[in-house]
Amino acid sequence: MEQQSKDPLHGKRLDAILEELVEYYKGFEGLGEQINIKCFTDNPSINSSLKFLRKTPWARTKVESLYLFMLRQKKREEGRKNKE
């Protein structure tokens, strides 16, 4: 039997994480309000942001932390909808 990882980041590609965050926060403007990094606030694109995040461990850590927070928020929102 295979052991499944409980880590939500396990097997998740950085580009997929970034795309989900951009969608959830309604664009780079919203994402830039959450994480004030120049690659999100100054002429942003997925490709330029990925390039920066792959070279900058502290920024990637912030993005991964925000992604985990977003997953918890989505779960809470679903819980509220199910109670209604």
Side-chain angles (χ1 to χ4, degrees):
M1 190 171 5
E2 281 188 44
Q3 190 81 25
Q4 288 252 325
S5 174
K6 295 202 187 280
D7 181 5
L9 294 173
H10 180 76
K12 198 76 169 171
R13 292 171 41 125
L14 185 57
D15 60 340
I17 290 171
L18 189 56
E19 287 169 5
E20 278 189 61
L21 286 170
V22 168
E23 182 181 328
Y24 184 79
Y25 290 105
K26 297 172 178 49
F28 277 103
E29 188 176 320
L31 183 55
E33 289 172 8
Q34 299 299 313
I35 304 175
N36 190 12
I37 299 176
K38 193 173 179 179
C39 71
F40 297 153
T41 60
D42 186 33
N43 199 19
S45 73
I46 294 287
N47 286 338
S48 65
S49 297
L50 286 172
K51 193 181 275 188
F52 176 76
L53 293 171
R54 287 185 178 127
K55 290 190 284 186
T56 317
W58 63 264
R60 184 178 182 144
T61 300
K62 283 187 173 215
V63 167
E64 290 172 346
S65 295
L66 182 62
Y67 179 74
L68 295 174
F69 176 77
M70 180 202 72
L71 291 178
R72 290 192 302 273
Q73 288 294 102
K74 280 184 166 183
K75 206 171 202 175
R76 275 190 214 114
E77 290 166 8
E78 284 177 19
R80 285 190 199 120
K81 284 181 185 175
N82 292 336
K83 286 182 181 179
E84 292 175 357

